[in-house]
Amino acid sequence: MATDIDLHLGRRLRRRRRLLGLTQQQLATQVGIRFQQIQKYECGANRISAARLWQLAEALESPVSYFYDGLEDAIERGGSGQGGEMFSRKETLDLIQAYYQLDERPRRRLLDLAKSLHDGEAA
């Protein structure tokens, strides 16, 4: 049975993989396992060993600590995962990817626009 920690690590794995635009098969090939194993990691059915977590972090170009970010809050919420749900949506990932493809100046202008829209909504 999956623990809150296994579920959290799996969610973070899925989020990072999707953010980079990788399929489960592509990630699995990079770390030398089958895509079914990635599926099991992502849903928390299988635990990720320390060595495998290191390989996944390398393949996903992130520090190992990335997978543990927000873990304490997730455990306090009982592993509900509500806090990061918006980051799991495809539209959010598409927006983030498009944002980082922009040069610095247009990125800053887009951020200012988004903030002004939010401020206008609050008024």
Side-chain angles (χ1 to χ4, degrees):
M1 186 157 165
T3 69
D4 290 345
I5 296 171
D6 298 324
L7 292 170
H8 181 79
L9 293 177
R11 284 188 194 108
R12 299 289 291 176
L13 173 63
R14 179 181 292 125
R15 181 179 302 159
R16 182 68 181 162
R17 177 182 61 77
R18 286 181 174 173
L19 186 60
L20 294 177
L22 294 173
T23 65
Q24 290 176 335
Q25 181 63 54
Q26 289 168 326
L27 179 57
T29 299
Q30 285 186 21
V31 295
I33 58 176
R34 296 189 174 172
F35 80 93
Q36 291 93 336
Q37 188 62 39
I38 298 295
Q39 287 176 330
K40 290 177 182 180
Y41 289 152
E42 288 184 356
C43 71
N46 284 9
R47 288 192 169 162
I48 305 172
S49 71
R52 181 72 72 216
L53 190 59
W54 181 268
Q55 290 175 322
L56 291 165
E58 291 285 309
L60 295 171
E61 301 171 2
S62 66
V64 171
S65 62
Y66 164 82
F67 296 97
Y68 293 96
D69 288 348
L71 177 60
E72 199 169 317
D73 293 337
I75 290 173
E76 287 176 9
R77 288 191 313 268
S80 66
Q82 298 301 320
E85 192 172 304
M86 76 171 124
F87 292 106
S88 299
R89 295 183 190 157
K90 183 173 177 2
E91 67 184 6
T92 304
L93 296 176
D94 290 345
L95 180 62
I96 292 170
Q97 288 172 338
Y99 177 82
Y100 281 108
Q101 289 173 357
L102 296 171
D103 289 330
E104 183 179 347
R105 184 179 170 138
R107 234 185 6 238
R108 195 171 306 177
R109 293 179 66 201
L110 180 60
L111 181 60
D112 291 341
L113 173 63
K115 286 179 179 178
S116 71
L117 291 172
H118 181 267
D119 291 342
E121 202 174 274

